[in-house]
């Protein structure tokens, strides 16, 4: 009986202690062109799901002083390349004060995966480690407050147990942005635990069975949604095998919580 060979995989990681935090408040890194503003009330670290599901809100001109971690960008790139490209554009826009921080190469932030720990749990822990490091690194009178934005209940609880301030995006907008209406309008309620009171805003989704039956009868059309890069309230559905290849969807209610790249069923207006 032939036995399979056991292959041992070794991963070599080069860590650095000279990766700058990017803050103008910092007196240690002494970067010539800091990205994050010195007098900001807080800096925001969004987790992976926030970047994936709340990209429209992150693109709001009102959103500043955001720290995008390398562990988050790596996850986003693996799951949605279009969203990854949009995040890269945000980093390049100097007026937005959005800083890329290579936590996976930082000597004090690198997080080794523990035995039995899932990759997702390890990545969440790496995000918490980076947030905690920033809180220690930027301290003292007038220091910006570090806020971890997450809609994951376990991540929020574990963050708070370590003294990290964590909250939902909607709670952040109310607490630090004066309830900015434009920002609140951009927030998707897909996984927001603070959005239970908004359930009546959107129509309930059809079951997969009902949607398939409606498509078979010609009541609905099936296609892939592409959201507009210029207007988050609009999108275009490319219909599969139809004489009308593209259909414009206008308004958040008609988009009904669908995200860029989702396969959707639509009902044509008379």
């Amino acid at each position: 009986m032939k036995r399979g060979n056991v292959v041992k995989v070794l991963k070599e990681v080069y860590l650095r202690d000279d990766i700058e935090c990017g803050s103008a408040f910092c007196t240690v890194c002494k970067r010539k062109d800091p990205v994050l503003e010195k007098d900001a009330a807080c800096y925001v670290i969004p987790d992976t799901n926030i970047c994936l599901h709340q990209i429209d809100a992150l693109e709001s001109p009102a959103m500043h002083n955001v720290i995008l971690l390398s562990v988050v960008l790596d996850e986003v790139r693996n799951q949605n390349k279009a969203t990854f490209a949009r995040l890269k554009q945000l980093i390049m826009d100097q007026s937005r004060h959005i800083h890329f921080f290579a936590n996976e190469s930082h000597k004090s932030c690198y997080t080794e995966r523990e035995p039995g720990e899932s990759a997702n749990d390890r990545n969440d822990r790496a995000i918490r480690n980076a947030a905690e490091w920033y809180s220690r690194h930027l301290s003292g009178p007038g220091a910006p407050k570090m806020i971890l934005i997450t809609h994951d209940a376990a991540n929020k609880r574990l963050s708070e147990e370590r003294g990290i301030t964590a909250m939902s995006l909607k709670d952040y907008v109310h607490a630090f942005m004066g309830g900015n209406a434009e920002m609140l309008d951009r927030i998707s309620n897909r996984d927001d635990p603070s959005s239970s009171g908004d359930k009546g805003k959107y129509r309930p989704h059809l079951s997969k069975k009902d949607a398939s039956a409606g498509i078979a009868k010609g009541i609905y059309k099936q296609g892939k949604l592409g959201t507009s890069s210029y207007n988050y309230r609009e999108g275009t559905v490319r219909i599969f095998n139809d004489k009308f290849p593209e259909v414009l969807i206008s308004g958040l209610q008609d988009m009904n919580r669908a995200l860029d790249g989702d396969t959707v069923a639509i009902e044509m207006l008379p």
Side-chain angles (χ1 to χ4, degrees):
M1 182 175 178
K2 187 176 180 181
R3 295 171 182 258
N5 294 326
V6 176
V7 179
K8 187 175 183 179
V9 179
L10 297 177
K11 182 179 180 181
E12 196 169 26
V13 180
Y14 295 91
L15 302 178
R16 298 170 51 184
D17 59 5
D18 62 344
I19 298 175
E20 299 166 337
C21 69
S23 171
F25 181 85
C26 180
T27 58
V28 177
C29 296
K30 298 179 180 178
R31 181 172 174 167
K32 292 182 179 179
D33 53 345
V35 176
L36 303 168
E37 296 174 293
K38 181 178 181 178
D39 57 354
C42 60
Y43 296 155
V44 170
I45 297 180
D47 71 4
T48 304
N49 284 330
I50 293 295
C51 288
L52 284 169
H53 302 154
Q54 307 294 341
I55 182 63
D56 287 339
L58 293 179
E59 287 179 331
S60 167
M63 199 73 179
H64 294 88
N65 294 300
V66 178
I67 300 168
L68 293 177
L69 304 177
S70 57
V71 63
V72 170
L73 287 180
D74 287 344
E75 282 195 284
V76 171
R77 179 174 53 193
N78 291 334
Q79 296 187 46
N80 191 316
K81 287 183 170 55
T83 299
F84 174 71
R86 292 166 72 178
L87 290 172
K88 287 206 305 182
Q89 287 296 319
L90 288 178
I91 294 171
M92 293 171 62
D93 185 350
Q94 296 182 0
S95 69
R96 301 295 304 280
H97 302 284
I98 296 178
H99 177 62
F100 167 73
F101 181 66
N103 67 295
E104 295 286 61
S105 300
H106 195 285
K107 187 175 182 180
S108 298
C109 295
Y110 178 74
T111 304
E112 191 73 38
R113 186 173 173 181
E114 297 177 347
E117 185 178 38
S118 70
N120 184 67
D121 287 345
R122 178 264 169 198
N123 290 342
D124 283 348
R125 189 162 56 86
I127 294 170
R128 294 192 294 271
N129 287 346
E132 188 176 47
W133 178 83
Y134 260 101
S135 294
R136 293 195 308 268
H137 185 73
L138 301 174
S139 59
K145 188 177 183 65
M146 293 305 308
I147 308 290
L148 174 58
I149 304 296
T150 181
H151 290 169
D152 184 277
N155 197 17
K156 183 176 185 296
R157 174 178 55 80
L158 292 170
S159 297
E160 291 173 344
E161 288 177 357
R162 294 172 57 173
I164 302 168
T165 301
M167 61 182 65
S168 72
L169 183 56
K170 183 173 291 186
D171 287 343
Y172 167 77
V173 173
H174 282 298
F176 293 93
M177 300 180 68
N180 184 292
E182 188 259 352
M183 272 292 296
L184 292 174
D185 197 29
R186 285 174 176 257
I187 294 175
S188 165
N189 295 331
R190 178 168 177 157
D191 59 353
D192 186 353
S194 65
S195 299
S196 58
D198 296 336
K199 291 182 179 178
K201 182 176 179 180
Y202 299 102
R203 288 169 291 176
H205 288 148
L206 294 173
S207 67
K208 187 175 181 179
K209 180 180 178 180
D210 289 342
S212 297
I215 292 169
K217 293 178 181 178
I219 300 173
Y220 308 125
K221 302 288 186 181
Q222 186 179 26
K224 190 172 185 178
L225 175 68
T227 56
S228 171
S229 58
Y230 303 101
N231 186 350
Y232 68 95
R233 293 183 175 88
E234 287 186 353
T236 300
V237 175
R238 295 182 178 272
I239 304 297
F240 302 149
N241 303 319
D242 194 83
K243 62 180 179 180
F244 301 107
E246 292 188 353
V247 177
L248 175 67
I249 309 296
S250 181
L252 294 178
Q253 285 190 327
D254 283 339
M255 290 176 70
N256 203 16
R257 296 160 289 174
L259 300 177
D260 185 69
D262 283 353
T263 298
V264 298
I266 65 171
E267 183 176 8
M268 304 289 286
L269 295 174

